[in-house]
Amino acid sequence: AFLYERQSRFDLELKVIEDGLVYHSESIQLLLRNGVSLFRSERFEESQLIFEKAIRIQPHDNTTRRVHSSVLFALGNTEEALQ
């Protein structure tokens, strides 16, 4: 997945990550990578859903919360992003 990201091939990266999520659906690392890839592909609504799932699984993960805030800003949810 990392190599695809380096080549800006987010579609291929997403496919690899989604395949991994089939077997490890609650992997914070995979969910984070998935959310970031969706964000970089400007698929903000989908990215938000992924980060919300990750936060439900691990509510105190600061990295996930920080990137989720960026997604919320991109969606125009400024107040929610600042919480």
Side-chain angles (χ1 to χ4, degrees):
F2 180 73
L3 293 175
Y4 293 132
E5 179 186 353
R6 284 286 181 190
Q7 298 172 359
S8 297
R9 296 295 312 263
F10 299 116
D11 54 336
L12 294 174
E13 180 184 24
L14 283 167
K15 172 72 173 122
V16 171
I17 293 168
E18 289 168 359
D19 287 348
L21 284 167
V22 169
Y23 301 102
H24 307 284
S25 64
E26 296 193 356
S27 166
I28 295 301
Q29 291 176 326
L30 285 175
L31 289 168
L32 183 59
R33 301 276 313 155
N34 193 24
V36 168
S37 292
L38 289 166
F39 179 79
R40 290 181 178 164
S41 299
E42 297 183 4
R43 293 166 58 183
F44 303 124
E45 291 86 5
E46 292 172 80
S47 180
Q48 178 183 8
L49 294 174
I50 295 297
F51 284 111
E52 287 173 355
K53 178 179 179 177
I55 290 168
R56 281 192 305 274
I57 294 168
Q58 248 183 30
H60 303 292
D61 184 74
N62 290 329
T63 301
T64 303
R65 288 187 168 281
R66 188 171 42 253
V67 181
H68 182 239
S69 290
S70 297
V71 174
L72 293 172
F73 271 118
L75 289 169
N77 299 336
T78 307
E79 281 190 37
E80 190 179 352
L82 294 173
Q83 294 179 7

